[in-house]
Amino acid sequence: MTDQNLAIIVLAAGQGTRMKSAVPKLLHPLAGAPIVAHVLATARALEAVHIVAVVRHERDLVATVVERELPGTIIVDQDEIPGTGRAVEQALAALPADFDGDVLVLNGDVPLLNADTLAAFLEQHRADAAEASVLSAVYDDPTGYGRVVRDAAGLFDRIVEQKDASAEERAIAEINAGIYAFGAAALRDQLANLTTDNAQGEKYLTDVIGLLRAAGSEVEAVPVSEPWLVAGINDRAQLSETAARLNALIVRGWQLNGVTIEDPATTWIDLAVRIEPDVTVRPGTQLKGATLIATGAIVGPDTTLVDCEIGENAEVKRTDATLAVVGAGASVGPFSFLRPGTVLGADGKIGAFVETKNANIGEGSKVPHLSYIGDATIGEHSNVGAGSITANYDGVNKHRTEIGSHVRTGSHGVFVAPVRIGDGVYTGAGTVVRKDVPAGALAVNVAPQRNIEGWVQAHRAGTAAAEAADAAEASGPAAD
Ligand code: UD1
Ligand code: CA
C-alpha cells in the first residue's frame, strides 16, 4: 500500500571523483546491476507516494538508468550550486508544495541498505516524533565519512565532514551513513539557511542537523545493527569490498535454498540469476546476468555463464558461455566457448575446444572435439567429427550450414556455407563439403593418396629423415 506520508529523495548528482572513471560512479556494476539500481530497488519496496532522483553529472546516462529501473521517478536536475544540501533543496521543490509528510533521503552510493532496515528506521523516526533522524554506524576506520558529534550528555548535536573536522573530531568512530528522515516542513525551513562556507564550498545536507538542533528541534542518530549495511562506495577499493559483501549474501541465500556451492570465495553470482535446488556450483564459477540453472545441473569448475539457461542434470565445466541454452542432461566442456545463439538439445554434447555461435544443435547430437560450429543447424543424434569447421563467412556475408539427423561427419571436415547435409549422411575424413549432400549419401572429395617412393632420399639426401628411411629399408622389405 502506498505510504501517502512518505517521499524519498535519491541523491545521484555527484561526480564520483574518487572513482577516477569515465563511467559515472553510480553506473558501475555491482552484482550485475548499476550501483544506483540497488538503491532504487530499495526505494521501490518502501512504496512512497513520491520518489525523486537528483541528477547532474552525466545526467542523461544516469537519468536513463533511473527511468529504466524505477519508472515514474521524478527526475530533478541539480544546478551549479554543489552539495547534498542543494540536491535535497531542489528535490524538495519538485514535490507538491503542500506535501507535509516525511522525507527519506538516500545516498545513491550506499547500495547494501535494505528496505527492512529503512522501514524500522522510519518507524522509529515517526514514533519519536523527531524532526530529523540519521542512520549512523561505528567503523574501525571512519576515514572519509562525516562524523556524528554528540554533546557532553551523549545527545546527537551535529555532523562534521571529514574535511572540516578537527583532529579530535576525526577520532570519532560513529559515522553519518548518509541516510536521513526529515519532517518536510522543518527540512524546507533549514535548507534555506545553508551556506557553502566550508572546506568543500558545498551546501552540506548534514548542516541541517546542527541548524535544527540549534533551533531546539528533536534530532537523533540511530545506529544501524550491522555497519556494512551502510557502507558507501566512493572509490574502487570500496566498490570491490561492497561487491564481495553482497556476493557473500547472495551465495549464502542460494545455499540456504538448497544449492551446493563448493567454494563461496571463488563463486560470483549476480542478483538476477536464478538457481533451482540441488544444483552444484563448483569452484571458480561466475553466474551473470539473467542466467537460469535447473535442478540437478553441475556447473563449473572455472565456468562463466552470462544470460544462459542450463537444463536439468546438465553438466557444464570449464566453459565460457553467453546467451546460450543447454538442454537437460547435456554436457558442455571442458574448454568450450559458447557464443550467443547457441542452443544445445537434451543429452547433446559440446566438447573440448569447441566454439559455437548461432548454432542449434539438436537432441542427442554431439560436437565432441576441436570444432567451430557457427550459423548452423544440426538435427538429432548426429555426430560431428573431430576438427570440423563451418566456413560460414565468405568475406561479405554469413551463411548457414544445415546438417540433418543421424548424420556422421568425418574428422577434419569443412562445411562451406550455404550448404545442406541430408539425414543419415556420412562424410569422409577431410572432406570439404561445398555442395549439398542428399539423404543417405557418403560425401568424399579428398584426392586419392599417392605414395612417391624414395622421394625423401632423392630430395632430402643427408637429412636425418633420409637416413632413417635408408635404415628402415635396410632392415627389411618395404611395405607395398
Ligand atoms: C556524504 C555525507 C557524509 C556521509 C557520507 C556517507 C554530506 C555533505 N556528507 O559524504 O556525512 O558520511 O555521505 O556515505 O552529505 N550528491 C548529489 N549532489 C551533490 C553532491 C553529491 O546528488 O552536489 C550525491 C552523490 O551522487 C552521492 C551522494 O550525494 O550519491 C553522496 O555524495 P558524496 O560526494 O559521495 O558524499 P560523501 O563525501 O560520501
Ligand atoms: Ca559517498
Side-chain angles (χ1 to χ4, degrees), residues 11-14 18 78 83-84 107-109 145-146 161 176-177 204 234:
L11 301 182
R18 287 165 277 182
Q78 187 172 347
T84 48
N107 265 9
D109 63 355
Y145 289 91
E161 290 305 295
N176 164 34
Y204 291 162
N234 297 304

Side-chain angles (χ1 to χ4, degrees), residues 5-18:
N5 276 317
L6 180 63
I8 297 180
I9 297 172
V10 177
L11 301 182
Q15 195 171 347
T17 329
R18 287 165 277 182

Side-chain angles (χ1 to χ4, degrees), residues 175-195:
I175 60 101
N176 164 34
I179 310 295
Y180 320 79
F182 295 103
L187 178 60
R188 226 177 248 121
D189 290 348
Q190 296 304 342
L191 284 169
N193 297 327
L194 290 182
T195 69

Side-chain angles (χ1 to χ4, degrees), residues 92-128:
L92 207 55
L95 294 179
D98 61 352
F99 179 78
D100 194 27
D102 298 303
V103 178
L104 187 63
V105 178
L106 305 180
N107 265 9
D109 63 355
V110 179
L112 299 186
L113 193 53
N114 55 48
D116 287 350
T117 304
L118 277 175
F121 170 63
L122 193 60
E123 201 173 307
Q124 183 165 350
H125 169 78
R126 287 171 168 171
D128 297 352

Side-chain angles (χ1 to χ4, degrees), residues 29-119:
L30 185 67
I35 291 170
V36 72
H38 297 266
V39 177
L40 293 168
T42 304
R44 178 205 297 263
L46 293 169
E47 303 189 86
V49 61
H50 307 290
I51 299 181
V52 183
V54 188
V55 298
R56 176 174 167 88
H57 176 69
E58 294 282 14
R59 148 311 143 220
D60 288 348
L61 289 175
V62 178
T64 302
V65 169
V66 170
E67 277 160 350
R68 183 188 75 206
E69 299 290 333
L70 193 49
T73 301
I74 304 164
I75 307 276
V76 167
D77 285 282
Q78 187 172 347
D79 61 19
E80 66 290 342
I81 302 173
T84 48
R86 181 60 178 169
V88 168
E89 190 174 14
Q90 289 191 275
L92 207 55
L95 294 179
D98 61 352
F99 179 78
D100 194 27
D102 298 303
V103 178
L104 187 63
V105 178
L106 305 180
N107 265 9
D109 63 355
V110 179
L112 299 186
L113 193 53
N114 55 48
D116 287 350
T117 304
L118 277 175

